[in-house]
Amino acid sequence: MQEWIVALSNYSATRESILQHRFLADVCGELWHRGEFDFVVSHSEVDNSGYDVIIEVGAVQRHIQLKAMHSAAKRRSFDIQTRLATRTSGCVVLMIHHPQTLTVESYRWFGTPPGQKLPDLGEKVTRSTRGNAAGYKAERPAFREVSLSSFQSVESVVDLVDRLFGSLMAEDEYTKP
């Protein structure tokens, strides 16, 4: 199993891409199942926008930052881009996955109902994971450290889609940013 844990770090971009595809397959598959065929998925081309993907269903538009953690990890916090808080309906979805198969075992949620701002990110500024030549790890003022305990457990993909898009029945109550 150790080989897979090492690969998660060495091939992090590959892992992120696979998990993003799994997330989109889960969410879009559930939308399709519900009869919501008219949805739009957009991706961020740069890593400074605060989100990884936008999903739009009817009048609900979600800017989503994706985070991942393997099920054996001891991680207790995540770095969240502050620019996400400027987006109406911004949210963070944490994917807890199996380290070898990359199967998503569960989702966790940091967000609010559609049309509302992201919960407060707190004041704890993160530091770079890499030090300079002297070992100093600079602050990253555009990021805040959010504890794992701030993320709510999600029962299923059905629950995740409900959190992302609400009932989808009363589209007029939601507005695009």
Side-chain angles (χ1 to χ4, degrees):
M1 184 62 79
Q2 184 61 30
E3 158 185 19
W4 302 106
I5 302 299
V6 171
L8 292 175
S9 177
N10 290 344
Y11 299 96
S12 61
T14 302
R15 176 188 68 143
E16 289 172 12
S17 181
I18 291 168
L19 289 169
Q20 184 175 100
H21 286 288
R22 288 190 189 267
F23 166 77
L24 290 172
D26 283 351
V27 170
C28 295
E30 176 59 23
L31 290 169
W32 188 269
H33 175 75
R34 292 178 184 203
E36 293 293 336
F37 309 119
D38 189 16
F39 53 86
V40 177
V41 176
S42 303
H43 299 269
S44 176
E45 291 294 326
V46 293
D47 198 21
N48 67 351
S49 58
Y51 61 89
D52 297 299
V53 66
I54 301 170
I55 303 177
E56 187 174 342
V57 181
V60 179
Q61 185 181 70
R62 281 293 197 174
H63 289 77
I64 306 164
Q65 189 175 116
L66 297 172
K67 295 293 179 181
M69 178 175 83
H70 66 84
S71 52
K74 305 288 186 218
R75 190 169 189 171
R76 295 291 162 232
S77 64
F78 296 88
D79 298 351
I80 307 298
Q81 195 6 304
T82 57
R83 290 184 73 187
L84 184 63
T86 67
R87 307 288 184 180
T88 302
S89 300
C91 62
V92 183
V93 174
L94 170 61
M95 297 171 281
I96 301 174
H97 64 85
H98 188 278
Q100 186 173 357
T101 64
L102 298 182
T103 301
V104 177
E105 297 176 345
S106 65
Y107 287 105
R108 296 195 76 161
W109 168 261
F110 184 76
T112 56
Q116 296 181 18
K117 291 284 186 181
L118 188 67
D120 184 39
L121 296 174
E123 298 300 319
K124 188 163 184 179
V125 176
T126 66
R127 291 196 172 273
S128 177
T129 56
R130 294 185 179 112
N132 64 12
Y136 176 73
K137 296 181 179 182
E139 284 191 341
R140 299 171 69 199
F143 290 84
R144 297 295 178 271
E145 184 177 306
V146 176
S147 69
L148 176 61
S149 64
S150 297
F151 286 75
Q152 300 169 349
S153 293
V154 176
E155 294 296 319
S156 64
V157 173
V158 172
D159 183 27
L160 180 61
V161 170
D162 286 344
R163 289 171 189 254
L164 284 166
F165 303 107
S167 68
L168 296 174
M169 303 299 277
E171 291 183 355
D172 292 342
E173 69 187 52
Y174 306 121
T175 58
K176 293 179 188 178

